[in-house]
Amino acid sequence: MSWQQGQIGYALAPMVARGVMLGPDQPIILHLLDIQPAAEVLNAVKMELIDAAFPLLQGVIATTDVVEACMGVNIAIMVGGFPRKEGMERKDVMSKNVEIYKAQASALEKHAVENCKVLVVANPANTNALILKEFAPSIPEKNITCLTRLDHNRALAQISERLDVPVGDVKNVIIWGNHSSTQYPDVNHATVTTGSGEKSVRQLVADDQWLNNEFITTVQQRGAAIIKARKLSSALSAASAACDHVHDWVLGTPKGTWVSMGVYSDGSYGIQPGLIYSFPVTCEKGEWSIVKGLKIEEFSRKKMDATAKELMDEKSFAYSCLK
Ligand code: LMR
């Protein structure tokens, strides 16, 4: 297992080492990658991981060498990217990240195990994942995904708060599209488990005005709200969502439940192939499948297309950076 260490990495490492991601019976060897200026801090993280004496943790490799980090990994969690700094355009960040993900694609392709599963967390997550896929053609495209489980969990949590029900009783929200403020959090198929069976979220909330406006913008803007309050982007919730994403991908989704994952579009729901787009998926035996046949009404259609359009624009820009 490998990722680049930072805020999310620091939150993620103990979760993985405790078995949160892969269950209580799966021994773990962590490969931690960071850039050279962070080498000493990275080594301190390794010392802390050793000191925590996690029973499942069988080894920690802390390195600044991407080849060593990728060597033999089964699961790669890509949390590293170039952060936007004051005075920088989104475009400047994208062009830097495109180069980073291109280089890491080659290292993963050459050195990770053949069936390595990849989760891209760093922004722009969908487009970074797409670049990684394009430059690692021998990694099966089904193995390259990006994180929208964070948005999915945020949507579940908003409904849980609104209805004052346990979050574990809410299921089947959907995040469509990009992990950005154009994402579309959709509750049209979401349900709450109650004493008298499963009930529709839309019926229980009984406030379409709230569901079609404030609910959507709260989820879309939650990352920005965290940055504003914390002066840093979300870390513990992102790490927890990364654990949920990989956990369900590897160990399966519960019967009757789907989750949201950014995956390579196969054209489902009219979303053009060639994008990494967030869809509702179920997972079984280590493979995800897009949930088919959900009815999409006009309001949703427009929002799903708008976020697809943003991804197409990001893709064109990413490619223009590579020329
Ligand atoms: C989040 O959703 O919390 C982050 O992706 C926000 C960000 O821009 O880092």
Side-chain angles (χ1 to χ4, degrees), residues 145-166:
T145 64
C146 82
L147 188 72
T148 53
R149 184 64 173 268
L150 176 54
D151 312 288
H152 182 100
N153 288 348
R154 287 167 171 165
L156 294 176
Q158 287 301 314
I159 298 298
S160 145
E161 286 210 318
R162 173 80 183 197
L163 293 174
D164 195 19
V165 296

Side-chain angles (χ1 to χ4, degrees), residues 73-74 76 105 108-110 112-120 129-146 249 261-265 276 286-288:
V73 298
N74 300 93
L108 274 175
E109 182 170 47
K110 289 201 193 94
V113 304
E114 208 174 305
N115 204 28
C116 175
K117 286 180 160 56
V118 182
L119 166 60
V120 178
L130 185 67
I131 295 301
L132 204 147
K133 180 207 150 302
E134 304 283 297
F135 288 93
S138 71
I139 301 180
E141 68 192 26
K142 286 208 92 170
N143 289 24
I144 298 178
T145 64
C146 82
W249 189 3
M261 282 171 70
V263 299
Y264 196 63
S265 174
I276 302 261
E287 301 259 324
W288 53 263

Side-chain angles (χ1 to χ4, degrees), residues 159 163 165 169-171 190-194 197-201 204:
I159 298 298
L163 293 174
V165 296
D169 291 348
V170 188
K171 65 175 187 181
T191 59
V192 178
T193 308
T194 70
E198 292 200 353
K199 299 234 161 78
S200 137
V201 162
L204 287 175

Side-chain angles (χ1 to χ4, degrees), residues 123 150 154 179 223 227 233-234:
N123 283 320
L150 176 54
R154 287 167 171 165
H179 172 68
I227 293 174
S233 52
S234 58

